[in-house]
Amino acid sequence: MLCMICDDQESEIETIKRSVMEYAREHPELSLKLRCFLRPLDMLADINKSGAPDIALLDICMPGVLGTEVAREIQSKSEGSANIIFLTNSSDFAVEAFALHADDYLTKPYTKERLADTLDRVIKK
């Protein structure tokens, strides 16, 4: 199972990555692989080359492209099968995010437990 993380703040990527890796250690049956990106355009280039992730953890307000646009591209490439989870400082894009069929919209700071609950739900789906 491939999980991609995109956030323009390296410290946020590290925080998200730690939480996801801890989750993966608790669920070794998932064979979870991670790819992390500081720039949304780099993530999109990787998706165009290698395919869409099973799970995408996206910030929304990033330079170059909004996370909602990245989500649209992921949904297009995965034919709607990718799970999109937004992790953001802004509540301004929640309606748009859910219109894109986002699986969750977590505002920072969120707890590891909240993220783990969301991962449980999307993986069971």
Side-chain angles (χ1 to χ4, degrees), residues 22 27 31 39-40 50 71 75 78 82 101 114-115 119-120 122:
E22 183 176 315
H27 300 84
S31 299
R39 291 179 288 283
S50 305
Q75 293 294 36
S78 72
H101 306 287
R114 176 78 163 88
L115 179 57
L119 290 171
D120 281 344
V122 300

Side-chain angles (χ1 to χ4, degrees), residues 9 21 24 27 29 36-38 45 47 51 85 89 94 107 109-110 117 122:
Q9 300 294 317
M21 293 304 294
H27 300 84
E29 72 280 4
C36 300
F37 302 88
L38 279 168
I47 289 168
I85 301 166
N89 288 318
T107 53
Y110 54 85
D117 288 347
V122 300

Side-chain angles (χ1 to χ4, degrees), residues 10-81:
E10 196 164 342
S11 61
E12 290 292 335
I13 286 180
E14 288 306 314
T15 299
I16 298 164
K17 185 178 176 180
R18 265 194 308 277
S19 294
V20 173
M21 293 304 294
E22 183 176 315
Y23 182 86
R25 279 191 297 280
E26 293 170 4
H27 300 84
E29 72 280 4
L30 297 177
S31 299
L32 195 62
K33 294 179 181 135
L34 276 180
R35 287 194 200 142
C36 300
F37 302 88
L38 279 168
R39 291 179 288 283
L41 295 177
D42 292 345
M43 183 180 189
L44 290 173
D46 189 84
I47 289 168
N48 285 329
K49 188 174 95 175
S50 305
D54 300 296
I55 301 170
L57 302 168
L58 303 171
D59 188 14
I60 290 189
C61 298
M62 299 181 285
V65 129
L66 287 174
T68 50
E69 291 302 317
V70 175
R72 276 189 189 85
E73 187 67 21
I74 291 170
Q75 293 294 36
S76 169
K77 298 288 183 192
S78 72
E79 299 176 0
S81 68

